[in-house]
Amino acid sequence: MVINTITVIGANGAVGSQVCGLLAAFCNAKVFMVSRSMEKSIAAIEQAVKSVRADSIRPLLVPMTYHELPECVQQSDWVFESVAEDLAVKLEINTHIAKNRRVGTIVSSGTSGLSIEELAAVFNEEGRSLYFGTHFFNPPYNLPFMEFTQMQWSNPVVATDFYDYLQSVVLRKTVQTNDKAAFLGNRIGFLFLNEVAQFAEIHKKCSGGGGIDYLDAILGPFTGRSMAPLNTVDFVGLDIHVAIMENLIEKAPEFFSGEQKIPQFVTRLVSQGRLGRKSGSGLFKMEYLPDGSKQKMVYDIGLDSYRPLQKYILPYADRMVTYLQDGLYQEAIDVLLADSSDEASICRYFLVKYVVCSYISALEVAESVDSADIAMAYGYGWVPPTSLCFLLGGRVGIENIIERDIRLKESIGSLDLSVLDNERTYPPIDYRRYFKASR
């Protein structure tokens, strides 16, 4: 497949600008960067160059506005839509694309979970056959995972060629997903993140602090993730979290999403415009002190105000970190399994649910459990679920953990855990890189 010219719509967005940089750098293609104003598109060029650290791509980046959209689409081999995660907004953009695309032009959406079938509805038969979901993860240069979604009417030859192109040229770790709410990575990840937020609300007062930083301390980098869970929500954006969860709750009642609800403190912060790192405050914020130094603050759910981060005493976590420093990964997990503290119990609860949710979601939404490993390792920077399953003792070990935990028994005890017997076929991902010897 040869792609010489690409249009990115929504190029001034955080993801859109970085995707422009990737496409110019890896595809060596001219990229029309379409935004609401020329000023935004010009500013987006700087973000694109910065994201891939390659000033040499500047000549390939062409700032455009929506007034030039018809001309851009008519000249393009691939049109990538990266506008707001709103069905009405995306359908309006797709209507304009459909009016101007030439026969043979591929169109794709970067949606994180909206229906590809609904988004493709405005195209004619030929246009629908070349319409796909291509969900880049943020930041795309650092997180190379991509979800690729095609439909029953997709042109099979073009779909195969485009899928290969995304892997070999755009250098994505690509998996094919069904057209299900939140697809695969976010289905696993946001169900996990949302339940951590629920636990933060439940435990908003304990150990001299509690709440958000308490749960992040329990599930920190030493548990197999590049960033603690609620720090992740703050980085992604609370508004994005709410949008994805609302979609999941509405359209994916299966598994345990039925017990999911968005915590009130999250919706309260969103209504106040405190959306996370991108808005300057959310679950966390940085406070500048009179002496010129700065201090990271956390939102206290009970007080409805910000306070300094609390240092929690978690002996199991300190022991795990000690083992991780020596590269003793199984020994670190064994510490967690043997610890009787409430915090260790919460940690085990989430790790087990992460594994089970990943297996079940992968078999429902994608091709195999390998897809969940790729999604979580390369899309989230989390330990692959099959690796964690092994460290926890496989199916037998997980069943033993569930049997001893009333919360797990009530939540997933009725599920058929034979899914954990599925053998993987993808080459193993080195799980050691995901366990950080730090709290």
Side-chain angles (χ1 to χ4, degrees):
M1 177 171 284
V2 177
I3 293 179
N4 294 315
T5 305
I6 304 168
T7 290
V8 175
I9 306 172
N12 61 304
V15 174
S17 61
Q18 294 182 67
V19 168
C20 289
L22 278 181
L23 299 180
F26 295 165
C27 307
N28 194 33
K30 178 195 294 183
V31 180
F32 291 125
M33 301 178 64
V34 179
S35 306
R36 292 292 177 188
S37 69
M38 185 58 68
E39 290 76 16
K40 289 183 176 180
S41 292
I42 291 173
I45 290 178
E46 300 307 314
Q47 294 301 316
V49 169
K50 181 180 178 181
S51 69
V52 294
R53 299 186 288 275
D55 197 69
S56 60
I57 67 172
R58 285 183 186 277
L60 295 171
L61 302 173
V62 184
M64 291 289 191
T65 70
Y66 280 88
H67 294 296
E68 291 84 40
L69 180 59
E71 173 188 345
C72 296
V73 172
Q74 290 162 12
Q75 296 182 45
S76 294
D77 305 303
W78 173 17
V79 177
F80 173 67
E81 168 271 303
S82 184
V83 300
E85 191 70 355
D86 181 285
L87 181 61
V89 173
K90 289 182 182 291
L91 285 175
E92 180 182 1
I93 292 296
N94 279 357
T95 299
H96 290 296
I97 298 172
K99 290 179 180 177
N100 294 284
R101 67 174 290 277
R102 63 177 188 241
V103 173
T105 294
I106 292 171
V107 182
S108 73
S109 174
T111 178
S112 59
L114 296 176
S115 169
I116 301 302
E117 181 173 352
E118 290 184 49
L119 292 173
V122 300
F123 291 88
N124 61 22
E125 183 176 351
E126 191 268 342
R128 283 197 302 273
S129 75
L130 301 183
Y131 188 88
F132 307 98
T134 52
H135 177 212
F136 290 84
F137 275 62
N138 185 30
Y141 187 75
N142 296 323
L143 299 176
F145 176 57
M146 171 180 279
E147 293 169 319
F148 179 80
T149 308
Q150 58 178 306
M151 304 304 298
Q152 70 273 12
W153 53 65
S154 298
N155 182 312
V157 174
V158 175
T160 299
D161 289 348
F162 191 37
Y163 181 87
D164 291 342
Y165 178 86
L166 294 169
Q167 291 200 104
S168 61
V169 180
V170 191
L171 303 182
R172 299 297 90 188
K173 297 287 187 180
T174 312
V175 302
Q176 298 209 43
T177 65
N178 299 329
D179 191 17
K180 298 276 190 176
F183 306 122
L184 179 59
N186 284 345
R187 176 174 290 230
I188 298 169
F190 276 82
L191 287 173
F192 182 98
L193 295 171
N194 192 66
E195 194 168 14
V196 174
Q198 288 179 315
F199 267 59
E201 193 165 51
I202 294 169
H203 298 276
K204 61 187 176 185
K205 291 184 179 180
C206 59
S207 302
I212 292 165
D213 55 345
Y214 177 61
L215 265 294
D216 268 6
I218 290 171
L219 291 160
F222 63 95
T223 65
R225 64 204 71 253
S226 58
M227 185 185 295
L230 297 177
N231 261 284
T232 300
V233 174
D234 205 63
F235 175 80
V236 171
L238 275 67
D239 53 334
I240 301 298
H241 178 85
V242 168
I244 291 174
M245 283 307 305
E246 286 179 341
N247 191 35
L248 271 171
I249 291 170
E250 176 187 356
K251 297 183 178 180
E254 64 274 14
F255 197 43
F256 56 77
S257 60
E259 67 190 55
Q260 292 280 346
K261 62 179 181 180
I262 303 167
Q264 289 185 353
F265 77 89
V266 174
T267 55
R268 180 167 64 246
L269 289 172
V270 171
S271 70
Q272 296 169 352
R274 292 189 274 178
L275 308 180
R277 190 176 300 186
K278 62 187 176 184
S279 67
S281 67
L283 302 183
F284 302 89
K285 76 170 184 177
M286 199 64 69
E287 186 172 279
Y288 294 88
L289 304 178
D291 63 1
S293 64
K294 54 186 179 180
Q295 181 179 36
K296 189 173 183 178
M297 310 287 282
V298 62
Y299 177 73
D300 190 297
I301 301 168
L303 299 176
D304 188 25
S305 62
Y306 291 89
R307 60 167 173 78
L309 295 176
Q310 172 78 20
K311 179 66 174 177
Y312 296 97
I313 299 173
L314 303 175
Y316 82 92
D318 293 332
R319 289 185 62 202
M320 288 181 68
V321 168
T322 298
Y323 278 117
L324 292 174
Q325 289 172 340
D326 293 331
L328 301 173
Y329 301 92
Q330 185 63 66
E331 288 80 355
I333 293 296
D334 289 344
V335 166
L336 174 64
L337 296 178
D339 195 280
S340 60
S341 68
D342 291 340
E343 290 83 4
S345 176
I346 291 172
C347 186
R348 289 192 297 268
Y349 172 89
F350 278 103
L351 297 190
V352 167
K353 289 198 74 171
Y354 167 61
V355 169
V356 174
C357 178
S358 296
Y359 273 74
I360 291 177
S361 296
L363 296 177
E364 176 187 334
V365 179
E367 299 172 316
S368 69
V369 294
D370 300 333
S371 298
D373 279 359
I374 298 169
M376 303 318 293
Y378 297 112
Y380 275 78
W382 291 3
V383 60
T386 64
S387 297
L388 185 56
C389 182
F390 170 77
L391 291 170
L392 292 173
R395 177 182 175 182
V396 172
I398 286 177
E399 287 178 334
N400 287 336
I401 297 171
I402 294 172
E403 185 61 31
R404 301 194 307 270
D405 189 318
I406 185 63
R407 286 176 298 206
L408 282 171
K409 288 177 72 173
E410 291 177 350
S411 181
I412 60 174
S414 62
L415 296 177
D416 180 6
L417 297 185
S418 65
V419 294
L420 301 179
D421 296 329
N422 276 271
E423 294 185 4
R424 63 190 326 282
T425 57
Y426 189 80
I429 299 170
D430 182 7
Y431 67 80
R432 296 171 296 182
R433 64 185 297 180
Y434 301 99
F435 286 98
K436 309 298 181 184
S438 65
R439 290 184 53 190

